[in-house]
């Protein structure tokens, strides 16, 4: 059952945790991705946070495009097609997979694990994508912006860090909004998964015992919350949403109730299916496999294609 | 191009900011229509500023840059381009309709919801006219006038066949069997905008306005050069008039007069087109006398400017206060045109204040978006209940009254009807007949089963409902919210029309958020003296001023160098009554004592 909180002028929000309810709300015709900011101060602040994810000419990041936006469907289909040919893509990012495998097994890497993840994801879009500590810091700033409390959010914006981070991410993504989203926001879940894999390894001999598929199911993480707005009042199953209710879909909570279905984390059967629904599980499986092998690949010093050892100047 | 409305930003002054706060407090206790006249008028000005700041949204131009023609700086181009010299595509024919709401709010329902509830059921249960409800404060010219004006402002084009909406019909529906396709009623879709979409448009659909968006009397002069040349006589700047003193027939549009825009033609339009074609020619005579060296082109274009401004003035200070009979509104519309009548206040507010000296002649301003007519504006101007199903046709020289059906006065038989009854008699008849009230259960029945050339049988009421839905105009409750009014929670809050709330609840299955915009506007209880709803009026407040304020020829270039002193004087001294009396002097007795030409005239005999 959803948790609904409404304080006039302050907040009108519904938190949905149940997997079935979550999917129903996600599919409801009157529940939209774009946020008006109406419904209370909290609703307004959340809408203001998401409103920054536009390019300077106003182009909307794909994850914030509405259901009936023809460009959303087109981008989704194109990207899904590009990411569906998993094997060649995994070969393309084999050096990063090996580096992540080493991190999981040994717990150390020549650069931040997040940078490696960002580069792996970026190279799915551009073979010569190069991540750096700065680009990863930009991604962290944007992730922090989304979850920050008002004072910190104010500081992130006021200090110019937000603008600088957006500019850096868009520059490294060469204007590709899907790449920008993946290397700034979506990558946060993969970083969490890699960290969980490392934790798993630290517990006894998990690396040998746990098969890659099981490792995936135990470490896959979905976004903690996905935000929607009920434009008009609607009854979705047992949930009665008033107009302008901010709907928080607790995807990770719901996924844990459907842990055997990795597709749930990616809304695999919904209109907003993540185009990376095949490649991300395959990537995590490969990382686990790489960790299980004894080979110490290029991660010990040889830079991956397009990458560089930490000691070299940028 | 920046998504931020092509770079246009609304700048609010200190006084406006203070008044905004003050009136938020006042309106918590009292609505604007219950305030004393001056305070009410100031309240409307505050609404307008809020709307200017938040309710103008650009959708891209959808046209290519037009070429420059000599004279574009001095008079209106045929297609409306170069009205704004920095943004020549702004408001030109073929440019996209803008929006009054943020684009994500203007997304049509998904296919499942789009046809719910059935527009045909709404037409039958809520709109169909049981008994004619007259608007007794108006005459029928007021109904013809607004169509005359909307033909100036917008046209979505004639829908073409293919991919029609299939509207389910209930058992027992009297829709003719031969018109059904697989048991459904078909409604053609609005002509699609085939121009390339900007990526920032999101899911909001776009449509193009085939007419120029400007208040340029395009209904008379056309929205392209070819049409303009067709209607001209080529002599002394005049419009072509037949030997009978009437506009000639349009060879490609049987029954219609040859004029700028003659879609949906009927006798009411013919009256006004003929009247203002004559007015144009009289203005040409006046200009020719004063400027004998001017060639045909110069005379035509200058007369067009003057005639267009006169029409805009009549609409602003005669038609509008006629249909919205509230003292604050009357005061505001006069202030829009010529400023407030208080010298001290004028001095305080300053020379450039549109409140003090009127919008006319003030600096041009686009506020927060490039000028364009909006889809929401077209939605609130669905005023078909103004049309009666039948009317009494009177004669000036006799007491006899002929009872005629409107359906016999439109389309292919319009000219014939005009010829047999006569221009003066019909003008008199329109002046003495009432239009319908803009309410539920008052939609003309002949339009609910209407035959139009080249179209399947039409239920215009159902089409009106579908048009708002397919164009992504929010439904009534969200529309209210987006124009700054509170959402309603119950059907009874919308209307006190007997039994309407019950019927609406049944049709909309108890969901007040699903009430269609047009149904809500027709059902809504009206402020005292108003002819249409306060919700529609919010869009009106914004757009009525915007049509003037954004237009260079009503603001920066409303000056003698462009209009001539004769032209400015002509606009200043004339009104609907003087125009009528100049061209139809026989109407003198009927108009005697009538202050507003859109109010009912004197019936002379019988």
């Amino acid at each position: 059952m959803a948790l609904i909180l409404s304080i006039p002028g302050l907040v009108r929000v519904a938190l949905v945790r149940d997997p079935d309810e979550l999917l129903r709300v996600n599919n409801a015709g009157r529940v939209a991705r774009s946020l008006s900011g109406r419904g209370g101060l909290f609703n307004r602040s959340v809408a203001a946070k998401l409103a920054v994810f536009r390019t300077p000419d106003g182009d909307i990041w794909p994850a914030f495009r509405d259901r009936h936006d023809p460009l959303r469907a087109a981008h989704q289909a194109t990207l899904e097609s590009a990411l569906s040919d998993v094997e060649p893509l995994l070969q393309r990012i084999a050096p990063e997979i090996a580096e992540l495998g080493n991190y999981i097994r040994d717990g150390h890497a020549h650069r931040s694990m997040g940078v490696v993840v960002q580069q792996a994801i970026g190279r799915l879009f551009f073979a010569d994508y190069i991540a750096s500590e700065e680009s990863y810091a930009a991604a962290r700033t944007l992730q922090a912006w989304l979850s920050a409390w008002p004072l910190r959010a104010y500081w992130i914006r006021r200090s110019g860090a937000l603008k600088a981070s957006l500019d850096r991410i868009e520059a490294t993504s060469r204007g590709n909004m899907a790449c920008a989203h993946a290397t700034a926001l979506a990558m946060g879940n993969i970083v969490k998964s890699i960290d969980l894999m490392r934790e798993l390894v630290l517990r006894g001999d998990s690396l040998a015992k746990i098969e890659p598929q099981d490792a995936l199911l135990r470490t896959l993480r979905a976004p903690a919350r996905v935000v929607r707005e009920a434009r008009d009042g609607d009854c979705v199953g047992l949930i009665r949403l008033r107009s302008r209710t901010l709907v928080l879909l607790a995807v990770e909570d719901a996924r844990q109730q459907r842990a055997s279905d990795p597709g749930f984390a990616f809304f695999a059967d919904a209109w907003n299916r993540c185009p990376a629904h095949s490649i991300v599980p395959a990537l995590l499986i490969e990382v686990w496999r790489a960790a299980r092998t004894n080979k110490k690949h290029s991660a010990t010093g040889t830079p991956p294609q397009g990458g560089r050892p930490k000691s070299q100047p940028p | 191009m920046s998504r931020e409305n092509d770079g246009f930003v609304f700048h609010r002054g200190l006084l406006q900011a203070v008044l905004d706060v003050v009136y938020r407090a006042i309106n918590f206790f009292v609505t604007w229509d219950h305030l004393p006249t001056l305070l009410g008028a100031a309240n409307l000005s505050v609404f307008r500023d809020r709307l200017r700041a938040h309710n103008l949204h650009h959708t891209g131009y959808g046209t290519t840059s037009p070429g420059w023609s000599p004279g574009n700086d001095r008079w209106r181009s045929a297609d409306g381009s170069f009205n704004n010299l920095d943004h020549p595509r702004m408001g030109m024919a073929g440019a996209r309709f803008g929006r009054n709401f943020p684009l994500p709010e203007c997304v049509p329902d998904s296919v499942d919801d789009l046809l719910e509830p059935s527009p045909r059921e709404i037409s039958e249960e809520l709109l169909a006219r049981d008994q004619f409800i007259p608007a007794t404060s108006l005459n029928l010219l007021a109904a013809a006038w607004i169509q005359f004006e909307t033909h100036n402002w917008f046209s979505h084009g004639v829908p073409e066949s293919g991919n029609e909406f299939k509207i389910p019909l209930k058992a027992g529906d009297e829709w003719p069997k031969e018109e059904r396709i697989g048991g459904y009623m078909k409604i053609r879709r609005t002509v699609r905008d085939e121009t390339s979409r900007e990526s920032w448009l999101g899911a909001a659909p776009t449509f193009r306005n085939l007419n120029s968006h400007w208040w340029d009397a395009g209904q008379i002069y056309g929205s392209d050069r070819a049409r303009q040349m067709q209607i001209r006589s080529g002599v002394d700047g005049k419009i072509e008039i037949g030997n009978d003193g009437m506009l000639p027939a349009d060879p490609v549009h049987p029954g219609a007069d040859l004029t700028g825009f003659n879609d949906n033609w009927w006798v009411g339009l013919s009256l006004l087109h003929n009247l203002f074609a004559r007015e144009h020619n009289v203005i040409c005579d006046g200009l020719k006398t004063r400027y004998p060296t001017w060639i045909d082109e110069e005379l035509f274009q200058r007369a067009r400017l003057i005639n267009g401004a006169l029409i805009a003035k009549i609409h602003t200070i005669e038609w509008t206060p006629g249909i919205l009979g509230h003292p604050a509104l009357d005061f505001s519309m006069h202030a829009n045109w010529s400023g407030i009548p208080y010298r001290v206040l004028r001095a305080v507010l300053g020379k450039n204040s549109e409140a003090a000296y009127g919008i006319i002649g003030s600096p041009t301003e686009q506020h927060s978006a490039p000028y364009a007519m909006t889809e929401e504006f077209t939605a609130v101007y669905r005023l078909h209940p103004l049309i009666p199903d039948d009317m009494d046709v009177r004669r000036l020289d006799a007491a006899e009254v002929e009872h005629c059906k409107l359906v016999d006065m439109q389309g292919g038989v319009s000219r014939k009807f005009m010829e047999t009854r006569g221009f003066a008699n019909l003008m008199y008849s329109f002046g003495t007949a009432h239009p319908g009230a803009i309410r539920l259960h008052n939609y003309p029945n002949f339009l609910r089963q209407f035959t139009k050339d080249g179209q399947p049988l039409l239920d215009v009421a159902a089409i009106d409902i579908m048009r708002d839905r397919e164009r992504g105009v929010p439904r009534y409750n969200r529309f209210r919210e987006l124009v700054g009014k509170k959402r309603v929670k119950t059907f009874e809050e919308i209307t006190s029309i007997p039994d309407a709330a019950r019927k609406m609840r049944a049709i909309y299955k108890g969901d007040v958020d699903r009430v269609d915009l047009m149904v809500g506007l027709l059902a809504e209880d009206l402020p005292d003296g108003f002819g249409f709803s306060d919700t529609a009026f919010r869009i009106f407040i914004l757009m009525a001023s915007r049509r003037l304020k954004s237009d260079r020829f009503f603001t920066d270039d409303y000056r003698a160098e462009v209009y001539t002193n004769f032209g400015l004087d002509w606009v200043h001294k004339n009104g609907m009554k003087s125009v009528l009396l100049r061209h139809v002097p026989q109407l003198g007795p009927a108009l005697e004592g009538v202050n507003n030409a859109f109010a009912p005239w004197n019936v002379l005999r019988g």
Side-chain angles (χ1 to χ4, degrees), chain B residues 62-63 94-97 155-156 191 193-195 206-210:
Chain B
T63 55
R96 287 186 189 138
F97 285 95
S155 167
H156 283 82
V191 179
D193 173 9
E194 303 284 2
T195 59
T206 57
F207 301 94
R208 297 169 71 207
N209 186 353
L210 300 191

Side-chain angles (χ1 to χ4, degrees), chain A residues 76-206:
Chain A
Q76 186 184 38
T78 308
L79 187 56
E80 192 168 347
S81 164
L83 296 180
S84 63
D85 204 1
V86 172
E87 281 309 314
L89 288 172
L90 290 179
Q91 280 175 17
R92 185 195 288 178
I93 59 170
E96 285 81 10
I97 289 174
E99 204 173 345
L100 291 170
N102 285 343
Y103 169 78
I104 288 169
R105 190 181 55 244
D106 304 331
H108 60 80
H110 293 269
R111 50 184 175 166
S112 303
M113 182 266 285
V115 177
V116 185
V117 170
Q118 192 179 43
Q119 178 155 306
I121 295 169
R123 292 189 64 219
L124 296 175
F125 294 87
F126 303 106
D128 56 349
Y129 181 97
I130 299 174
S132 62
E133 294 294 340
E134 290 79 11
S135 65
Y136 181 53
R140 298 269 309 235
T141 303
L142 295 183
Q143 291 163 24
W145 161 253
L146 285 179
S147 55
W149 286 89
L151 211 58
R152 187 169 178 215
Y154 173 79
W155 176 246
I156 291 173
R157 187 193 277 272
R158 186 74 187 157
S159 65
L162 176 65
K163 178 81 171 62
S165 301
L166 282 167
D167 288 348
R168 182 173 289 278
I169 289 293
E170 281 166 11
T172 51
S173 304
R174 302 166 206 185
N176 182 324
M177 295 299 98
C179 179
H181 174 81
T183 54
L185 304 181
M187 66 161 288
N189 300 313
I190 301 176
V191 170
K192 276 185 207 159
S193 297
I194 300 290
D195 272 335
L196 286 169
M197 283 182 168
R198 172 68 190 149
E199 280 179 31
L200 215 54
V201 168
L202 289 176
R203 283 188 226 140
D205 52 353
S206 306

Side-chain angles (χ1 to χ4, degrees), chain B residues 35 41 75 200 209 281 295 307 343 400 419 543 565 581 587:
Chain B
L35 291 168
W75 51 66
W200 45 262
N209 186 353
N281 288 351
I295 58 169
N307 203 21
R343 262 190 260 169
E400 68 187 67
E419 280 165 26
M543 299 302 288
N565 280 319
L581 290 174
L587 294 175

